[in-house]
Amino acid sequence: MVRKKRGTSTIWQNHSTIKKISIILPSLYQGALLAIASTCVLHLSFSSKLMSLAAKAPLNALRISSNPLRLSIRAQHTKSISRFAGPAFVNPLRNKTVATNSGLNSISPRVQPISRDFVALPEMSHEPSPAPFEMSDDEKYLFDLNGYIVLRGVFSPEEVADANAVIDRHLEEANSRLDPALRNTKNDSPMRGDNAKARMDLGGILEWGEDSKIFKKILAHDRLMPYLTTMLGKGFRMDHMPFIIAQDKGAEGFHLHGGTIDCESGAYNPFLAYNFINGHMQCSLVGCSLLLTDHNPGDGGFCVVKGSHKSNYKAPIDMVHGKAHTEYVEQLNTKAGDVILFSEGTVHGALPWMGEKQRRLALFRFAPAFMAYGRSYMASEDKTWPTAMYDDLTDAQSAILEPPYANRLDRPNIEEDGSVIITSRNQKKERMG
């Protein structure tokens, strides 16, 4: 894909030439001539560049930014789909029809009147700038140091309220883990809580029709995309079935688990691992925890052993069960609407819940395009996610539900502007299968 921006050097070079010529003209007409000439040069320069680029790329491969401060033309030589309307494209790897980009978007650059200093400026946009499409250097360092990062206020208070209202309507469907076979802690563990209450798990959160829309926002969320793309690479996908965790006061937590080196067995976990190769981090699996209640100091909930994603040894067994070295196990203080992104290679768990209000969170997990830990993506008869998950999805959200396969094999990839392109091999290789 080629991206080109309209430059200004030609405009100013031509303006300089005109200014020199105008010296010999009567001063009475000088200002008027410069204004008219500058306007002509501006429009001719823009038109010539537009026609030049249009000639180099097929019309159905051109996309023009709607932002007046970024009048750029993107020449795409790949098959592309957009979240906007267009003809249908059928993904050959799954009978799923999505909208495709069609033709050239219209463009009408808005230019301010020529001022006395002859500088033509585009009209300013008051819309907020889009989130950057990768983590900042500071964020990369902190994630590499700790194995997790907290993103504040991903959901607004209104969205948090909507999500909790949906949970209220479905909470009777939750499954309690009170059965001894389902417990996440040992009887004598300090993580056990009061031993009378267990964690409740509520599944199906993307299969409730209208009620699911609030949780489907996490798929391809513009605040999360830069982080998940950096951690997992382009084309990343949802791996596990997302679900709600709910805990009343006194409910048990979860003993420490995970780790690039498994914290209990000491074995290498390639399907959870965190690696840093050739200047880039690579996570095999990332947990995404959307907090729907506040987690204040002493409340319990998610806890982590900082930096353990790079440990080379298994954890002491008493530490795993909360009996020793507790000073290294940190509870994170978060507010409703925050999101915790953590490498599953980081040793983590949950302290028993001691807050007065019921603890609630929505837990998602994401993996690289080519990897799978879970098998829920084959849950339906058609070997896809449950069909109800696909209702009312954008193209970008649908791309996150793709099964595991390499990017070069006609996989939809989400672009910085939220559109989706299909990456593929060249046509001759594609025909060979």
Side-chain angles (χ1 to χ4, degrees):
M1 180 172 66
V2 178
R3 302 183 182 185
K4 295 187 178 181
K5 291 189 177 181
R6 180 171 66 89
T8 57
S9 59
T10 304
I11 295 174
W12 287 109
Q13 289 169 4
N14 291 330
H15 179 273
S16 178
T17 302
I18 293 170
K19 191 170 182 180
K20 291 176 182 178
I21 295 173
S22 67
I23 294 174
I24 66 174
L25 297 177
S27 59
L28 179 64
Y29 302 104
Q30 183 173 345
L33 179 60
L34 279 172
I36 294 170
S38 296
T39 304
C40 294
V41 170
L42 173 64
H43 286 286
L44 287 173
S45 175
F46 176 79
S47 299
S48 63
K49 286 182 177 291
L50 177 61
M51 296 303 294
S52 174
L53 284 170
K56 293 180 182 179
L59 284 181
N60 65 355
L62 287 174
R63 291 190 304 162
I64 302 180
S65 172
S66 60
N67 187 336
L69 295 179
R70 296 172 64 198
L71 297 176
S72 61
I73 296 178
R74 301 179 181 184
Q76 281 182 215
H77 298 284
T78 60
K79 290 174 274 184
S80 65
I81 66 177
S82 169
R83 64 171 122 187
F84 304 104
F89 171 82
V90 179
N91 188 333
L93 297 179
R94 191 180 67 209
N95 294 326
K96 184 174 184 302
T97 303
V98 294
T100 63
N101 192 21
S102 61
L104 181 66
N105 293 334
S106 62
I107 183 169
S108 55
R110 299 174 288 175
V111 181
Q112 292 179 348
I114 303 299
S115 62
R116 289 184 62 83
D117 57 359
F118 315 113
V119 179
L121 295 174
E123 193 174 296
M124 297 297 292
S125 171
H126 297 288
E127 298 178 359
S129 300
F133 208 57
E134 65 174 12
M135 296 168 68
S136 69
D137 289 343
D138 287 4
E139 291 168 330
K140 290 176 184 176
Y141 172 79
L142 294 173
F143 185 85
D144 181 67
L145 176 70
N146 295 317
Y148 71 89
I149 192 167
V150 179
L151 307 182
R152 304 293 181 183
V154 174
F155 263 27
S156 68
E158 294 76 19
E159 289 172 316
V160 170
D162 288 346
N164 277 312
V166 169
I167 295 172
D168 289 339
R169 292 194 287 271
H170 293 270
L171 193 57
E172 62 181 17
E173 304 165 25
N175 296 309
S176 171
R177 302 182 73 103
L178 198 56
D179 186 317
L182 299 176
R183 289 283 200 167
N184 291 317
T185 57
K186 289 187 174 182
N187 283 329
D188 60 346
S189 170
M191 293 180 163
R192 187 73 162 190
D194 64 12
N195 207 36
K197 300 184 186 73
R199 192 178 91 178
M200 293 180 286
D201 295 352
L202 175 60
I205 66 173
L206 300 186
E207 304 170 59
W208 293 336
E210 190 71 19
D211 277 353
S212 289
K213 286 186 176 181
I214 189 67
F215 297 112
K216 286 178 177 178
K217 286 186 176 184
I218 289 296
L219 305 176
H221 195 290
D222 59 354
R223 279 285 305 280
L224 303 181
M225 284 298 300
Y227 298 89
L228 293 173
T229 301
T230 303
M231 296 172 187
L232 298 164
K234 295 197 73 170
F236 72 85
R237 51 179 295 275
M238 188 174 78
D239 189 83
H240 291 46
M241 283 282 196
F243 66 104
I244 300 296
I245 292 175
Q247 292 169 279
D248 292 321
K249 185 175 182 179
E252 74 169 340
F254 201 142
H255 68 76
L256 296 182
H257 54 283
T260 299
I261 300 299
D262 188 273
C263 67
E264 294 184 83
S265 70
Y268 175 64
N269 272 335
F271 39 83
L272 302 181
Y274 173 88
N275 290 293
F276 190 86
I277 302 171
N278 196 30
H280 298 280
M281 66 176 75
Q282 181 65 59
C283 297
S284 296
L285 193 66
V286 169
C288 172
S289 182
L290 168 64
L291 289 313
L292 298 172
T293 49
D294 293 350
H295 290 58
N296 298 312
D299 281 350
F302 184 82
C303 61
V304 64
V305 180
K306 288 184 174 181
S308 54
H309 57 311
K310 295 188 285 189
S311 176
N312 292 305
Y313 296 94
K314 67 179 181 179
I317 192 64
D318 282 345
M319 183 179 181
V320 169
H321 296 289
K323 298 179 180 179
H325 311 297
T326 55
E327 67 272 24
Y328 297 103
V329 181
E330 182 175 341
Q331 177 216 318
L332 301 186
N333 302 322
T334 54
K335 297 297 182 183
D338 294 348
V339 165
I340 304 171
L341 295 178
F342 59 97
S343 166
E344 289 281 353
T346 306
V347 176
H348 60 282
L351 300 175
W353 184 246
M354 304 307 296
E356 295 297 331
K357 190 175 181 180
Q358 186 181 74
R359 180 190 186 221
R360 289 180 176 180
L361 64 93
L363 182 60
F364 293 72
R365 293 184 181 91
F366 298 99
F370 53 89
M371 291 188 70
Y373 180 106
R375 55 187 178 184
S376 298
Y377 67 93
M378 300 189 297
S380 74
E381 293 181 359
D382 296 328
K383 300 300 182 185
T384 65
W385 296 96
T387 53
M389 280 192 182
Y390 296 97
D391 295 342
D392 300 315
L393 294 180
T394 66
D395 293 336
Q397 291 169 341
S398 295
I400 303 297
L401 298 187
E402 285 291 296
Y405 58 94
N407 270 314
R408 64 192 293 266
L409 302 178
D410 303 309
R411 187 178 192 89
N413 275 194
I414 302 171
E415 294 289 275
E416 184 174 355
D417 62 3
S419 63
V420 180
I421 66 169
I422 301 294
T423 57
S424 65
R425 299 165 290 176
N426 64 56
Q427 293 184 355
K428 287 186 177 180
K429 289 184 177 179
E430 201 171 342
R431 285 195 294 267
M432 293 178 65

